[in-house]
Amino acid sequence: MDLFGNLTCGVDEAGRGPWAGPVTAAAVILDPAKPVEGLTDSKKLSEARREALAPLIRERALAWCVAHASVEEIDRLNIREATFLAMRRAVEGLQHRPSLALIDGNALPGGLACDARAIVKGDLTEPAISAASILAKTVRDALMLALDAAHPGYGLGKHKGYGTAAHAEALTRLGPAPCHRMSFAPVRKASLSA
């Protein structure tokens, strides 16, 4: 039994579309007594603003968790199922058990230990989803900087693994690195021509 009663968490992901790196999800239960001003969809915020908000969210939330599904899991399951896996891990990792999860998007991961509701553009309308969006994005961006250092030449720190022209050119020139998603067509194509 959780002392906090009926809790709602917001859940969002970062990194569904990129050709490299894990997909990252966050779950956040906000504390109404400690509001965080300026929450919105992480994509609407500057990098500096996201980096300023992330520690405030961690400090003021009742509970938060960031989780990943690896490149191997993405390639084995597909990106949709891997995203759902990361979301389940984030919800399961919360210090307090929510009774409801508000999920950004139009689909729900199966196997959650609580009720769930999908909300299209929820990261714009639900502060807890906005907070999850910011944590997922900032944690994944930091991971991509680390992968950039481990696999130089692809520009992962700049484009965060997304399919830019520079990334495509580097893939053609260098071939895929272990952090690339082989199940994604541009990566698979580059591996065949490398």
Side-chain angles (χ1 to χ4, degrees), residues 10 19 28 68 71 85 103 116 121 175:
W19 299 345
V28 177
H68 312 278
V71 168
L85 176 61
I103 313 278
K121 296 196 188 306

Side-chain angles (χ1 to χ4, degrees), residues 74-190:
I74 292 167
D75 286 344
R76 189 175 79 245
L77 298 170
N78 74 44
I79 187 59
R80 177 185 163 93
E81 291 306 316
T83 301
F84 288 161
L85 176 61
M87 287 179 167
R88 274 195 304 276
R89 286 172 173 163
V91 173
E92 287 163 7
L94 289 167
Q95 301 93 310
H96 303 293
R97 190 170 179 168
S99 52
L100 175 65
L102 302 177
I103 313 278
D104 185 55
N106 62 2
L108 295 173
L112 287 174
C114 63
D115 289 335
R117 196 163 80 232
I119 302 176
V120 175
K121 296 196 188 306
D123 48 10
L124 288 170
T125 59
E126 291 289 339
I129 297 177
S130 301
S133 163
I134 291 163
L135 288 191
K137 175 83 174 129
T138 53
V139 168
R140 189 179 185 281
D141 282 359
L143 269 175
M144 295 311 292
L145 288 173
L147 283 175
D148 189 29
H151 306 287
Y154 296 96
L156 298 173
K158 278 200 175 90
H159 51 63
K160 308 299 190 279
Y162 282 89
T164 64
H167 194 180
E169 184 277 323
L171 262 178
T172 302
R173 184 167 35 88
L174 301 169
C179 63
H180 279 100
R181 302 172 180 180
M182 296 304 293
S183 56
F184 279 44
V187 179
R188 196 166 51 247
K189 185 176 164 202

